[in-house]
Amino acid sequence: MEQQVVKPAEDALSSVSNLKHMTSTASYGQARITLELDFSANADAAAIDATKKINAIRGSLPDGIDEPVVIKRDNATPIMYVAVQSAHSLDTIYSKTSNDFQDVLQQADGVSEIELNGGRDKEIAVEIDKDKLIHYDMTLTEVVKALKAENVLMPSGTIYSSGTTTDVRVKAQYVNESELSQIQITNAKGAKIPITAVASIKRQDQRVTRYARVNGDDAVVMAIYKNSDANVVNTVDNVTKKLDELRQDNPGYTFTVTNESASYIRNSLHNTLQTLIEGLCTTGLVLFFFLRGWRSTLAVMIAIPTSLISTFFAMYIAGFTFNMMSLMGMALCVGILVDDSIVVLENIHRHLMQGEAPKSAALHGRSEIGMAAIAITLCDVVVFLPIAFMTGMVGQYFKQFGLTIVFATLFSLFVSFTLTPMLASRLFRLGLKIPDKPIWHKMDALEESTRNYSNLDLEPGPCQETGHPSPHPVHRRRRPDSDGPGRFRIHAPN
């Protein structure tokens, strides 16, 4: 297999486009060659190319081998394992699974291949007695040729009549071991010797080369693979429906799903979506306390779902799906989505406090900080955009993560320039009013204390010991002037 099959196939397949790595495994009676392609490769085109190259060397391969098969997979790991158990013998379970159950599951949408593990295969064993073979002046080759000559199924011609045409075939295949016992072999002297004189014939299990057990009991396990372009969750759901049909039609068999990838994906997406909802709720709570009321909170909070829904459209255009990385990107950028709207809304509040009309305040408030909002957004974009262009396996994982955050951030800028000013002009059409409640007084006091602490100037002052000017700065606090809370003057220390 290595010299006559694997090496010629490797030489032919080495010229496949975008080939990254080739792995070959040769064993008794079979060989497997695995081609790993670059991420930029087209799997369909590569499979066609590999098939053409194998067909080109088919004539140089040894006689008697099966037709080589090219299988395309985007993942070498099965998406689902199904164990089949019954009170019947293992060879009966394996035969039923191979001939019936496997064909039914193969019809499920998204399934590309099914491998069988475990079970037993039956065989007709012809055990030759060496001493008897020598006694009757026969060789092992003569016995093998006689067995092959008697086990045939071939066309033998056509019979024509006035109105019909009938094809004729020779059907001389073995059905059971009793038919084998009637074969006679001609030895070197021309004598007819029955095969039972030199061999014993019996039906038995083949030598065990594979095992499959579920909870300690023998079983036949079907490993199910999906197509390269199929969805894992949808494929598992389709296979599950087929399994329900098999359970109804075969009550004597038990079908147990030992492992499947859809549950892990569903749980991961559910947890990520739950985190996204929790982030929305906590963001709304923080905005409610610091923006002093539900109107300001509503004007900013609407920017989050609006930006996310717009991001869905961009993801659809880009061919992205809802997966852990894309949803994680949405969860992480919830705080970023409200930055631009908060800046715009605060500036609109300032214009409303100066007595401007709501529409004028919304227009001027948005226009004044336009460049600042663009700068804030582009800072986030230039941080996450390079993540989407990472190479290798890491780049494939983080591409949707980085671009999802970029899409959401750009849409949040668009919303802050359009929807947020419009909502502010409608929600504050009667003016900016903050209810007179204790909670807002405490928030004002907290904000005032923070403002007073930050209003410290550093200026050179006299040394406390000598009275001479010191190059080191001293703190001078700004205190409210008597003219009003908005005016300040500088007081020198005592």
Side-chain angles (χ1 to χ4, degrees):
M1 292 298 295
E2 179 185 2
Q3 297 294 330
Q4 301 182 19
V5 177
V6 174
K7 286 189 176 181
E10 286 181 342
D11 295 338
L13 295 174
S14 60
S15 59
V16 173
S17 302
N18 299 313
L19 177 61
K20 182 179 179 181
H21 188 71
M22 181 186 299
T23 304
S24 302
T25 303
S27 59
Y28 179 77
Q30 65 177 356
R32 181 185 295 268
I33 302 176
T34 304
L35 305 182
E36 181 182 352
L37 306 176
D38 292 331
F39 292 110
S40 59
N42 187 321
D44 296 328
I48 296 174
D49 191 15
T51 303
K52 291 181 178 179
K53 295 184 180 300
I54 291 296
N55 292 335
I57 65 169
R58 180 65 181 88
S60 61
L61 297 179
D63 297 334
I65 68 169
D66 295 335
E67 192 69 24
V69 179
V70 177
I71 301 175
K72 179 188 65 175
R73 290 180 182 168
D74 65 339
N75 194 346
T77 304
I79 63 170
M80 195 174 185
Y81 291 93
V82 179
V84 183
Q85 293 176 299
S86 176
H88 302 289
S89 60
L90 281 177
D91 62 297
T92 303
I93 299 176
Y94 185 84
S95 177
K96 185 71 172 178
T97 303
S98 177
N99 298 329
D100 296 337
F101 303 154
Q102 182 179 359
D103 295 338
V104 173
L105 297 184
Q106 193 78 45
Q107 299 173 5
D109 189 20
V111 176
S112 65
E113 184 185 359
I114 299 178
E115 290 184 354
L116 298 184
N117 299 305
R120 299 288 185 271
D121 289 327
K122 284 292 186 179
E123 66 178 6
I124 304 297
V126 180
E127 298 180 352
I128 305 295
D129 189 328
K130 180 180 178 182
D131 296 333
K132 293 181 179 180
L133 201 65
I134 296 174
H135 174 74
Y136 286 103
D137 196 12
M138 297 171 58
T139 62
L140 184 61
T141 304
E142 293 174 345
V143 177
V144 174
K145 287 183 178 179
L147 292 174
K148 290 183 177 180
E150 294 292 337
N151 187 35
V152 294
L153 177 63
M154 57 183 297
S156 59
T158 305
I159 299 177
Y160 298 95
S161 63
S162 59
T164 61
T165 301
T166 304
D167 294 330
V168 180
R169 62 175 179 171
V170 176
K171 186 178 181 182
Q173 287 183 314
Y174 304 133
V175 178
N176 50 52
E177 59 271 24
S178 61
E179 295 182 355
L180 285 173
S181 62
Q182 301 176 7
I183 296 177
Q184 293 185 353
I185 305 171
T186 303
N187 63 0
K189 297 179 180 180
K192 297 289 185 179
I193 308 298
I195 192 173
T196 55
V198 295
S200 61
I201 302 173
K202 59 182 178 179
R203 179 187 292 268
Q204 64 181 19
D205 291 336
Q206 288 185 353
R207 179 173 296 181
V208 179
T209 58
R210 58 181 185 267
Y211 294 92
R213 293 187 176 95
V214 177
N215 297 326
D217 299 327
D218 290 328
V220 176
V221 176
M222 294 183 287
I224 302 173
Y225 296 86
K226 74 177 186 68
N227 290 324
S228 58
D229 55 349
N231 183 276
V232 176
V233 178
N234 293 338
T235 303
V236 172
D237 291 340
N238 295 332
V239 173
T240 303
K241 294 179 181 178
K242 293 293 183 180
L243 286 176
D244 294 337
E245 297 178 3
L246 290 177
R247 292 188 180 99
Q248 294 178 359
D249 299 336
N250 303 274
Y253 290 84
T254 302
F255 301 89
T256 306
V257 178
T258 60
N259 187 23
E260 48 94 3
S261 303
S263 297
Y264 172 76
I265 296 176
R266 286 193 181 96
N267 293 334
S268 300
L269 294 178
H270 175 74
N271 293 335
T272 307
L273 184 59
Q274 183 178 357
T275 303
L276 177 60
I277 296 175
E278 291 174 355
L280 290 173
C281 297
T282 53
T283 301
L285 185 63
V286 171
L287 292 175
F288 178 76
F289 282 106
F290 283 90
L291 295 182
R292 310 292 198 276
W294 65 269
R295 289 183 175 85
S296 300
T297 302
L298 181 62
V300 176
M301 282 294 294
I302 289 181
I304 297 178
T306 305
S307 301
L308 291 180
I309 293 174
S310 303
T311 304
F312 296 160
F313 175 74
M315 291 173 60
Y316 175 77
I317 297 298
F320 295 171
T321 59
F322 287 114
N323 49 60
M324 286 191 297
M325 301 308 296
S326 60
L327 289 180
M328 186 185 302
M330 293 183 186
L332 292 179
C333 71
V334 169
I336 300 176
L337 299 180
V338 297
D339 289 347
D340 297 332
S341 296
I342 290 176
V343 173
V344 172
L345 188 63
E346 283 292 333
N347 203 40
I348 294 175
H349 282 187
R350 185 177 64 85
H351 283 273
L352 289 174
M353 294 177 65
Q354 292 176 356
E356 293 188 20
K359 293 184 179 181
S360 177
L363 180 61
H364 295 160
R366 192 268 298 170
S367 301
E368 287 181 354
I369 52 88
M371 293 304 299
I374 293 175
I376 294 173
T377 303
L378 292 182
C379 287
D380 296 329
V381 170
V382 298
V383 169
F384 290 101
L385 187 60
I387 297 178
F389 297 98
M390 298 173 63
T391 58
M393 181 65 70
V394 178
Q396 294 296 314
Y397 278 108
F398 282 92
K399 179 180 180 180
Q400 297 193 20
F401 172 79
L403 289 182
T404 299
I405 295 180
V406 171
F407 294 154
T409 305
L410 293 177
F411 277 115
S412 71
L413 175 65
F414 177 76
V415 170
S416 67
F417 278 10
T418 55
L419 185 61
T420 301
M422 186 274 292
L423 291 176
S425 65
R426 301 300 298 171
L427 293 175
F428 301 113
R429 62 182 181 276
L430 300 179
L432 181 62
K433 296 181 181 180
I434 300 177
D436 187 12
K437 294 183 179 181
I439 185 174
W440 305 131
H441 294 311
K442 292 182 180 180
M443 293 297 297
D444 290 338
L446 177 62
E447 184 177 349
E448 186 66 24
S449 64
T450 305
R451 183 185 296 113
N452 291 338
Y453 178 77
S454 62
N455 289 335
L456 298 177
D457 291 338
L458 299 178
E459 298 180 1
C463 180
Q464 295 182 357
E465 297 180 357
T466 61
H468 297 290
S470 172
H472 301 288
V474 296
H475 294 291
R476 296 192 177 189
R477 182 180 299 277
R478 293 181 179 178
R479 298 179 181 177
D481 195 5
S482 59
D483 296 338
R487 300 179 180 276
F488 298 87
R489 63 170 178 263
I490 302 299
H491 292 270
N494 296 328

